[in-house]
Amino acid sequence: MSFFVPAKAAQAANAFPPDTGRYPVTILGFESQNRTDRNGCPRYAAKIKFPNGGTASVFCGVPFDESGDLVPALAALDATTQANKVNFYVGQIKEIAYSAGFTDEYMNENGIPSDHLVGRTAHIEWLGRPNDVPKGVKAYGDVKAFLTPEQFTAATTSGQPVVDERTFAWRQTTEKAPSAGSKVENGRDLPPPPARSSKKLPPPPAR
């Protein structure tokens, strides 16, 4: 007995995401979820691809439209509340950008064009699907953190393990595993929201 998987089917099917660890991943694109979050910001799924061909999504809210205009729900807020929410959202997006090699100098001058992130390599700590999931229960992997290329290299070279600190209902204990000290640094100064500009986008930073 034998079988034959057609080439088109082989190309279309993705492998499963890998086990817990650190991986360089390719940013495939940002897909609109056609809905907004509780703050009225459009939801996007950043599609990433692992070296083994597996794919996953990272979800984020985006406070600006394709022209760089603030979304109406945030534009209607008072200045202080608006600034806090914008900085929160932009901070999450910047973590992806840092991981893909964008610098503060580039982003402070040019903003963050999503098109320039597509196709670039990002670096992540990945929490794989738990190996003790009961039959019939849905559970998936998740990105624990985005790392800069320098953080990724240092952590990989040191052999520091990625610790899964998630808790699940089917487990007997809710105690968290000890942290491996591999959190992404969060003390960066956020730039002001990019101003709307009609100029041609600059080339993406060198890979």
Side-chain angles (χ1 to χ4, degrees):
M1 298 291 291
S2 64
F3 63 84
F4 171 71
V5 177
K8 286 186 177 181
Q11 293 172 11
N14 295 316
F16 292 110
D19 293 331
T20 296
R22 292 184 188 84
Y23 300 94
V25 295
T26 302
I27 300 175
L28 299 179
F30 294 84
E31 297 181 359
S32 171
Q33 298 297 286
N34 295 315
R35 63 187 180 89
T36 59
D37 64 15
R38 63 181 182 179
N39 292 317
C41 289
R43 291 274 293 173
Y44 281 82
K47 297 288 185 178
I48 58 175
K49 185 174 184 179
F50 293 91
N52 73 344
T55 60
S57 296
V58 181
F59 299 94
C60 60
V62 180
F64 299 98
D65 63 20
E66 61 183 8
S67 298
D69 292 323
L70 197 62
V71 297
L74 295 190
L77 299 175
D78 65 87
T80 299
T81 303
Q82 180 187 107
N84 289 337
K85 291 185 181 297
V86 168
N87 285 349
F88 169 77
Y89 286 111
V90 173
Q92 290 187 320
I93 297 170
K94 287 186 73 173
E95 292 300 336
I96 300 176
Y98 281 125
S99 181
F102 279 45
T103 64
D104 281 316
E105 291 75 16
Y106 178 86
M107 291 185 284
N108 289 351
E109 181 178 353
N110 304 301
I112 309 173
S114 61
D115 289 346
H116 287 176
L117 285 168
V118 177
R120 296 182 67 89
T121 298
H123 305 79
I124 66 170
E125 288 187 340
W126 172 254
L127 303 178
R129 185 178 187 274
N131 56 16
D132 61 345
V133 181
K135 185 176 180 179
V137 175
K138 292 183 178 180
Y140 306 93
D142 191 20
V143 173
K144 181 178 184 180
F146 281 92
L147 306 178
T148 66
E150 294 76 18
Q151 289 171 328
F152 181 84
T153 298
T156 302
T157 301
S158 70
Q160 190 178 55
V162 177
V163 178
D164 189 344
E165 300 173 317
R166 295 174 295 177
T167 58
F168 299 97
W170 62 82
R171 293 180 179 170
Q172 296 299 313
T173 178
T174 59
E175 294 181 1
K176 290 188 176 181
S179 173
S182 58
K183 292 182 66 179
V184 176
E185 298 173 2
N186 292 317
R188 303 187 182 95
D189 290 331
L190 293 176
R196 181 175 181 177
S197 174
S198 59
K199 68 180 181 180
K200 184 178 180 181
L201 285 177
R207 297 182 184 279

